[in-house]
Amino acid sequence: MATKAMNVKLDEGIILEVKDVASVFHMTITDVINEALNDYLPRMKRDPFYRLTANVKEASAEESAEILSELETLTDEDLTISSTKKYNV
């Protein structure tokens, strides 16, 4: 995968912590941030809100509020995939 540069703004305290971890583990700051994101993103993608809205690219504020109110009533068991079926199109 191609690597691209990105500017981000972080609190000074977080920057110091990232630099400290990078120094202790002999890593670059980029490597520390990449590893953190590699742990964080899969966890966020397991979140019920993400799972139900990832394919909804343009929801209105009203639709988003409705989705959130419905999500609040669901349990992890409600969101468990019980079966899958593959269709060739």
Side-chain angles (χ1 to χ4, degrees), residues 31-43:
D31 289 338
V32 172
I33 293 170
N34 278 329
E35 283 199 26
L37 288 172
N38 286 335
D39 288 341
Y40 179 77
L41 293 175
R43 188 170 27 126

Side-chain angles (χ1 to χ4, degrees), residues 13-89:
I14 296 293
I15 293 170
L16 293 173
E17 287 187 57
V18 170
K19 286 181 177 182
D20 187 43
V21 168
S23 173
V24 168
F25 289 98
H26 305 287
M27 299 169 68
T28 65
I29 291 171
T30 298
D31 289 338
V32 172
I33 293 170
N34 278 329
E35 283 199 26
L37 288 172
N38 286 335
D39 288 341
Y40 179 77
L41 293 175
R43 188 170 27 126
M44 291 302 293
K45 287 182 174 184
R46 288 190 303 270
D47 183 272
F49 179 77
Y50 180 86
R51 290 168 46 197
L52 292 173
T53 61
N55 292 322
V56 179
K57 297 300 179 193
E58 296 197 25
S60 68
E62 183 179 300
E63 291 168 326
S64 294
E66 182 180 349
I67 290 169
L68 285 172
S69 68
E70 289 295 321
L71 286 175
E72 290 174 356
T73 66
L74 300 176
T75 66
D76 284 341
E77 186 177 329
D78 293 328
L79 299 171
T80 301
I81 298 172
S82 58
S83 66
T84 61
K85 193 168 203 174
K86 183 176 180 178
Y87 295 94
N88 294 324
V89 180

